[in-house]
Amino acid sequence: MMMRKTSLLLLGAAAGVAVTLIATSPRIVLDGARAQAAAADTYRQLSLFGDVFERVRADYVEKPDDSKLIESAINGMLAGLDPHSSYMDSKSFRDMQVQTRGEFGGLGIEVTMEDGLIKVVAPIDETPAAKAGIMANDIITHLDDEPVQGLTLNQAVEKMRGPENSKIKLKIMRKGQEKPLEVSITRARIQVRSVRSRLEGDDVGFIRITQFNEQTTEGLKKAITDLAAQAGDKLKGYIIDLRNNPGGLLDQAISVSDGFLEKGEIVSTRGRNAEETQRFNARSGDLTKTKPVIVLINGGSASASEIVAGALQDHRRATVIGTRSFGKGSVQTIIPLGSGNGALRLTTARYFTPSGRSIQAKGISPDIEVLQDVPEELKARTDTRGEASLRGHLKAEGDEQTGSQSYIPPDPKDDKALHTALDLIRGIQKNSAYPPNPKTAVPN
């Protein structure tokens, strides 16, 4: 038996992985004669591929790059399976690892692109950028004396990242300053904030989870501790905002769900064969001390977000408010292909909520649907098409659902889903779905 180090991935609009070990062994699925016939047919097809490859190399109008031909062939094979299986070259694989670790060597600034230049959205507290005096709305024009004009945002971000303790020089234009500022900054280890929190009024804890990376569960624990300390005895409940959260790590979706549950199944994954089924259960200990919880979702809530929403909904631990989620009910395994060869991202299982329902190409339906008021000019762009609209998606069990509103008003005072949640927790509004009754939890 061979042990191969692999990773489990849940992917919505963005990718994420969870490290696990999967034992692989040969599967005997055909009798001898049929196996030989199937093998012969497979070799004929591979021979055909070789013939086409050689003909392209010899006769194409321009000399092709052999490695690009092979990579394109691999991508074509995987793209023909489903929208979430793909090949990652070594750079894409490294980028994905950085994203899911949630930490990297860098400066600690959130940036955006404006008129071909890099604009600082905000420095992150306690990072080299904040300590160096970088301010929101600063325009970065040069990195180590190289102009950023002409670079993509990703290329500029890559240049700003680097090994801890290495230095980089920034040239900055700041409103009110005639001359550009030159700042030398030493990079440090930066942790991506996947969890942000605030107290609404003085009695409701609001926690926004933007992705599921290696920092998420610790971020959630800190947020709950901080909010409980700020509010004290006044704390009436928590709102967990998973809107437009594309997913990420499977193990983080499980541990975040576990933070609100005392017992019971959180999620199960089922591969091609029955023996590959895995079940993940909650351990005792509710971080919120059984305070009421409301989960916000919308059409951009995918994958790991749907696992959390589905688990808390099935156990009647939380009331789910918003619009139907994306509907990505599959798990990908990341298989490294050796030094410099990148990795294979392969769909290997479907996942099921505690009650045994698959959300594939359906999504999680909220207990209370709340539609936002969308500005006229944005109406054509605020619906997410959903998993069911993706070409080649895994089919649902039963009817498929596609398309759901994914707009979040930029000003919280216009956020109807948030205000519905606040009114329910404060007792201003009444609804039969809040508080949920654990005795009506859907049995597995």
Side-chain angles (χ1 to χ4, degrees), residues 181-350:
L181 306 170
E182 289 203 352
V183 184
S184 182
I185 305 180
T186 302
R187 296 180 179 94
R189 181 175 296 179
I190 307 300
Q191 290 196 335
V192 177
R193 287 182 63 194
S194 60
V195 179
R196 288 177 167 80
S197 63
R198 65 176 185 262
L199 206 54
E200 287 283 345
D202 61 358
D203 58 350
V204 180
F206 177 86
I207 299 172
R208 168 117 180 90
I209 302 177
T210 56
Q211 60 177 292
F212 289 84
N213 64 28
E214 288 179 16
Q215 316 298 325
T216 302
T217 300
E218 286 308 311
L220 175 70
K221 288 176 181 174
K222 184 177 186 305
I224 290 172
T225 301
D226 291 350
L227 291 167
Q230 288 173 50
D233 294 340
K234 293 181 180 177
L235 190 66
K236 291 189 173 80
Y238 293 90
I239 297 169
I240 311 299
D241 189 356
L242 298 177
R243 292 175 296 180
N244 293 346
N245 179 327
L249 295 157
L250 173 60
D251 66 345
Q252 292 289 316
I254 292 164
S255 55
V256 165
S257 303
D258 195 359
F260 301 97
L261 296 170
E262 288 284 357
K263 61 180 181 179
E265 186 175 301
I266 293 169
V267 68
S268 63
T269 62
R270 305 178 199 174
R272 188 196 301 184
N273 299 310
E275 66 268 19
E276 292 169 352
T277 298
Q278 287 186 288
R279 298 185 182 278
F280 300 90
N281 295 302
R283 292 169 295 187
S284 62
D286 180 340
L287 298 175
T288 69
K289 297 182 170 58
T290 71
K291 291 278 188 192
V293 175
I294 288 178
V295 173
L296 304 183
I297 62 169
N298 66 7
S301 304
S303 197
S305 298
E306 295 173 292
I307 285 179
V308 175
L312 300 187
Q313 185 182 55
D314 277 5
H315 282 288
R316 299 291 187 262
R317 176 63 188 92
T319 298
V320 178
I321 292 178
T323 57
R324 190 180 57 253
S325 64
F326 188 84
K328 184 192 165 288
S330 63
V331 181
Q332 284 66 43
T333 300
I334 300 296
I335 307 169
L337 298 173
S339 179
N341 289 329
L344 177 63
R345 179 166 57 203
L346 190 65
T347 301
T348 53
R350 294 174 186 255

Side-chain angles (χ1 to χ4, degrees), residues 371-392:
L371 293 170
Q372 303 284 359
D373 294 328
V374 182
E376 201 63 43
E377 67 275 13
L378 295 176
K379 279 189 175 168
R381 295 187 286 122
T382 57
D383 278 8
T384 299
R385 293 170 66 205
E387 176 81 7
S389 65
L390 299 180
R391 187 191 297 270

